[in-house]
Protein backbone atom coordinates (compact mmCIF):
# COMPACT_ATOMS: atom_id res chain seq x y z
CA UNK A 1 0.00 0.00 0.00
CA UNK A 2 2.90 2.33 0.78
CA UNK A 3 4.39 2.08 -2.71
CA UNK A 4 1.00 2.47 -4.35
CA UNK A 5 0.50 5.74 -2.46
CA UNK A 6 4.00 6.92 -3.41
CA UNK A 7 3.31 6.30 -7.09
CA UNK A 8 -0.15 7.85 -6.95
CA UNK A 9 1.04 10.97 -5.14
CA UNK A 10 4.06 11.23 -7.44
CA UNK A 11 1.81 11.26 -10.49
CA UNK A 12 -0.47 13.87 -8.92
CA UNK A 13 2.40 16.11 -7.78
CA UNK A 14 4.29 15.85 -11.08
CA UNK A 15 1.19 16.70 -13.11
CA UNK A 16 0.38 19.66 -10.87
CA UNK A 17 3.95 21.00 -10.91
CA UNK A 18 4.35 20.54 -14.67
CA UNK A 19 1.01 22.25 -15.26
CA UNK A 20 2.11 25.22 -13.16
CA UNK A 21 5.45 25.43 -15.01
CA UNK A 22 3.73 25.21 -18.38
CA UNK A 23 1.25 27.94 -17.47
CA UNK A 24 4.02 30.20 -16.19
CA UNK A 25 5.98 29.88 -19.43
CA UNK A 26 2.84 30.16 -21.57
CA UNK A 27 1.80 33.42 -19.94
CA UNK A 28 5.35 34.81 -20.06
CA UNK A 29 5.50 34.14 -23.82
CA UNK A 30 1.91 35.02 -24.67
CA UNK A 31 2.64 37.28 -27.64
CA UNK A 32 5.31 35.12 -29.29
CA UNK A 33 3.21 32.01 -29.89
CA UNK A 34 4.79 29.83 -27.20
CA UNK A 35 7.63 27.37 -27.72
CA UNK A 36 7.94 27.11 -31.55
CA UNK A 37 8.91 30.77 -31.92
CA UNK A 38 11.01 31.22 -28.79
CA UNK A 39 14.76 31.19 -28.52
CA UNK A 40 17.00 28.38 -27.43
CA UNK A 41 17.54 29.87 -23.98
CA UNK A 42 13.82 29.84 -23.17
CA UNK A 43 13.54 26.23 -24.32
CA UNK A 44 16.52 25.26 -22.18
CA UNK A 45 15.08 26.96 -19.09
CA UNK A 46 11.70 25.31 -19.71
CA UNK A 47 13.28 21.86 -20.08
CA UNK A 48 15.44 22.34 -16.99
CA UNK A 49 12.53 23.48 -14.82
CA UNK A 50 10.36 20.64 -16.15
CA UNK A 51 12.93 18.02 -15.16
CA UNK A 52 13.47 19.71 -11.80
CA UNK A 53 9.69 19.80 -11.28
CA UNK A 54 9.41 16.09 -11.99
CA UNK A 55 12.13 15.23 -9.48
CA UNK A 56 10.63 17.57 -6.89
CA UNK A 57 7.20 15.96 -7.33
CA UNK A 58 8.56 12.44 -6.88
CA UNK A 59 10.68 13.34 -3.86
CA UNK A 60 7.80 15.28 -2.30
CA UNK A 61 5.47 12.29 -2.63
CA UNK A 62 8.08 9.95 -1.17
CA UNK A 63 8.60 12.34 1.73
CA UNK A 64 4.87 12.68 2.44
CA UNK A 65 4.22 8.94 2.40
CA UNK A 66 7.33 8.04 4.40
CA UNK A 67 6.28 10.52 7.08
CA UNK A 68 2.83 8.93 7.17
CA UNK A 69 4.10 5.31 7.29
CA UNK A 70 6.80 5.25 9.92
CA UNK A 71 8.86 2.08 9.55
Amino acid sequence: MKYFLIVLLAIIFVVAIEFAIYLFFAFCNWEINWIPNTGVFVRFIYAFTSYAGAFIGVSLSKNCVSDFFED
Side-chain angles (χ1 to χ4, degrees):
M1 186 68 177
K2 176 181 177 180
Y3 296 109
F4 175 74
L5 285 176
I6 289 175
V7 171
L8 186 66
L9 280 177
I11 290 170
I12 291 169
F13 285 146
V14 167
V15 167
I17 291 170
E18 295 297 323
F19 181 71
I21 290 170
Y22 179 80
L23 281 182
F24 174 75
F25 276 89
F27 285 123
C28 286
N29 297 310
W30 190 263
E31 64 273 353
I32 54 177
N33 198 15
W34 190 210
I35 277 290
N37 295 329
T38 58
V40 175
F41 182 71
V42 174
R43 292 180 195 181
F44 172 75
I45 295 297
Y46 176 71
F48 180 76
T49 54
S50 293
Y51 283 123
F55 286 120
I56 288 170
V58 170
S59 62
L60 183 64
S61 67
K62 188 176 179 198
N63 238 357
C64 289
V65 171
S66 65
D67 287 345
F68 185 71
F69 290 108
E70 295 179 9
D71 292 332

